[in-house]
Amino acid sequence: EMREALQHVTPGSTILVAEATQPHGDPVKNLALSHAPCLALLDRSSFVSTAFTVSGKQVLTVRPAYNALADRFDGDPPTLEDLARARAAPDGAKPPMFWARWDSSYDYVFVLYTRGDPNPLPDALELVHSGKGFQIYRVLKDEDRVEPAVASTL
């Protein structure tokens, strides 16, 4: 199912892998799903934040242009709550994490361990696919956001 869902992802894009704030599903099945977004490396020539790039442990290296977007320390992906907090934080107070400026650095957010949850950040994310245990969101850029019309009074 993940391979089919990847057809909604623009080739060459950047993908941040995140987890539901309240994960759902069987822990064994969730473990199997945890690396499924890396199929985008092969199928869409996309950068994936959780690719196997930990120096001294894994074999892949990240091109310099993407270095700041990679999980270089093999940590847990951020939760949706983490992303909301980082987005709301002023520049000087953002967490010192690779995903701190996710809304301007990535093209998509893959959220793992979901069950058809509602969009947690509709002003920043657009759902493009909801699958069994995961959702794919496109990150809205400034040009995607429609400003409400201002009523004029004469």
Side-chain angles (χ1 to χ4, degrees), residues 82-91 94 100 102-103:
D82 293 332
L83 297 183
R85 271 193 251 124
R87 186 165 190 266
D91 278 342
K94 292 201 183 287
W102 66 270
D103 53 340

Side-chain angles (χ1 to χ4, degrees), residues 36-57:
C38 287
L39 290 169
L41 292 164
L42 304 170
D43 293 1
R44 306 308 280 173
S45 297
S46 293
F47 171 82
V48 179
S49 64
T50 57
F52 304 93
T53 61
V54 177
S55 182
K57 178 180 178 185

Side-chain angles (χ1 to χ4, degrees), residues 65-120:
Y66 298 97
N67 209 24
L69 303 179
D71 176 4
R72 305 299 303 246
F73 302 104
D74 209 13
D76 291 328
T79 65
L80 287 171
E81 185 176 320
D82 293 332
L83 297 183
R85 271 193 251 124
R87 186 165 190 266
D91 278 342
K94 292 201 183 287
M97 305 299 289
F98 67 93
W99 46 263
R101 289 176 174 73
W102 66 270
D103 53 340
S104 61
S105 301
Y106 296 92
D107 300 310
Y108 294 90
V109 176
F110 280 37
V111 184
L112 302 176
Y113 322 133
T114 64
R115 61 172 181 194
D117 302 332
N119 185 342

Side-chain angles (χ1 to χ4, degrees), residues 3-18:
R3 280 210 137 109
E4 185 177 313
L6 287 172
Q7 298 308 305
H8 298 282
V9 173
T10 303
S13 57
T14 54
I15 298 168
L16 172 63
V17 178

Side-chain angles (χ1 to χ4, degrees), residues 18-43:
E19 295 180 355
T21 301
Q22 297 294 322
H24 300 283
D26 176 83
V28 173
K29 289 181 183 176
N30 285 354
L31 185 60
L33 184 62
S34 68
H35 294 295
C38 287
L39 290 169
L41 292 164
L42 304 170
D43 293 1

